[in-house]
Amino acid sequence: MVRLRKEDTEDLDIDELDAVEYSTEQFDSYDGEVPPKDIELVGYVRKMWWTRSQAGDPMLKILWLAAENEGDYEEYNGCPFWLNAALIGAAKFRWAPFLDNFGITLKAVKTQTDVADKDDQNGAPINKIGNWRPGEENDESWCRIITSRERYNGEWQPRVGEWLPYDADGDQADEEPEEDEEPEEDEEYEEEEPEPEPEPEPEPARGRGRGTSRTARSATEKPAAAPARRGARTPAPAPEKPAPSRTGRSTKPAAKAAAPAPPARGRGRGRAQAGYDDEPPF
């Protein structure tokens, strides 16, 4: 039997390794399919760690878990989404959307991050950042995501493509009251339409059709026809002029002949209406 040489174990720090805490909690127990890209899932930040990248940069390690999805997406409940967000400028596209979605500032990360007493294999578990806490029981940790994925070691790995507030639908519901206000505008239009409705009201004056025809008749027919029937044009010369052309017997000459004209000569003649007593008979 051959023992290890001292130089083979020189870099093995027993005290340091004994002090490290570890957890047997299983985070990757999901056996389902990797969700496709560009679908919206509900879930929560199950756990976070304060740790360091391989380059030694400060880093947030985040585990987001899909939960309470229904219908076609129910099968993805329990799917873990991991995010390693090194807090450096080159990786801002990873950590900034996450922090912004939950309203966490870098200042809060730096000055208000509370961690567990002991580290585990992923780093120092974060209890809270300011008033924000991870965990299923904490409402502030819930949100929605748009899924993405990438290949790692030849296999598809689920990734977060976009972070969304949990009440994304609620925001739309909050906008709906604004849509409900639009009917009030419509009602204002309806209040304005009653003013144009006087136009339909005269249409009952299809009564307008009748009214206009009456006025038209009053403007045209009454002046023309009424004089013949009602004698609106009273000047005597008007009947006297047509009288000579009327060879027929009319009641008007008879009425005027009944005046001082001689009964024998004035009958049947239009001139007799003029009242000339000395006109010779024809």
Side-chain angles (χ1 to χ4, degrees):
M1 183 174 67
V2 180
R3 294 185 177 179
L4 289 172
R5 294 173 299 179
K6 183 177 180 181
E7 55 268 23
D8 293 331
T9 59
E10 188 175 3
D11 58 349
L12 183 62
D13 191 331
I14 297 175
D15 294 335
E16 180 183 355
L17 293 178
D18 283 343
V20 172
E21 296 291 332
Y22 69 95
S23 173
T24 58
E25 184 178 6
Q26 297 295 319
F27 298 116
D28 296 321
S29 59
Y30 177 74
D31 296 327
E33 296 290 331
V34 174
K37 291 181 63 175
D38 298 328
I39 67 170
E40 184 176 305
L41 294 179
V42 182
Y44 62 95
V45 178
R46 182 174 181 181
K47 208 158 187 177
M48 286 180 64
W49 294 264
W50 175 263
T51 185
R52 296 273 172 176
S53 66
Q54 292 180 351
D57 298 314
M59 184 173 75
L60 295 175
K61 192 177 188 70
I62 302 162
L63 172 60
W64 188 89
L65 203 67
E68 296 188 3
N69 294 281
E70 299 177 351
D72 294 339
Y73 298 158
E74 185 176 2
E75 61 177 303
Y76 303 123
N77 287 336
C79 180
F81 290 74
W82 289 91
L83 174 63
N84 294 325
L87 299 178
I88 57 175
K92 188 172 182 178
F93 69 97
R94 292 185 181 276
W95 52 263
F98 171 81
L99 295 181
D100 291 344
N101 183 65
F102 291 102
I104 303 171
T105 64
L106 280 175
K107 184 177 181 180
V109 172
K110 184 174 182 178
T111 62
Q112 301 179 35
T113 297
D114 181 41
V115 297
D117 294 336
K118 296 180 180 180
D119 295 356
D120 61 20
Q121 65 268 31
N122 290 314
I126 294 176
N127 297 324
K128 64 177 183 175
I129 302 175
N131 293 325
W132 185 89
R133 297 174 180 269
E136 181 178 7
E137 69 281 3
N138 299 311
D139 292 342
E140 63 267 26
S141 72
W142 286 79
C143 72
R144 299 173 184 268
I145 67 164
I146 302 298
T147 60
S148 184
R149 59 182 182 175
E150 63 183 15
R151 283 195 175 275
Y152 181 74
N153 291 336
E155 295 184 357
W156 286 112
Q157 300 292 326
R159 295 290 183 261
V160 176
E162 184 178 355
W163 298 93
L164 300 172
Y166 178 79
D167 59 351
D169 290 344
D171 291 342
Q172 296 176 358
D174 294 341
E175 294 175 359
E176 289 176 0
E178 296 179 359
E179 296 177 357
D180 293 339
E181 293 174 1
E182 293 180 4
E184 294 179 359
E185 295 179 358
D186 293 340
E187 291 174 0
E188 293 177 4
Y189 289 122
E190 291 176 1
E191 291 175 358
E192 293 174 358
E193 288 174 1
E195 297 178 2
E197 280 176 10
E199 299 179 1
E201 287 174 0
E203 290 177 8
R206 293 181 180 176
R208 262 193 194 181
R210 292 192 291 268
T212 51
S213 63
R214 289 178 182 175
T215 54
R217 290 176 183 174
S218 64
T220 57
E221 296 178 5
K222 286 181 180 180
R229 290 183 293 173
R230 298 182 182 179
R233 294 181 181 174
T234 55
E240 289 174 0
K241 291 179 181 179
S245 63
R246 293 183 183 176
T247 56
R249 296 178 180 176
S250 63
T251 57
K252 290 181 180 179
K256 290 185 179 181
R265 289 189 294 175
R267 298 192 65 172
R269 299 280 182 172
R271 289 185 179 180
Q273 298 174 0
Y276 294 101
D277 296 339
D278 57 347
E279 186 175 344
F282 293 98

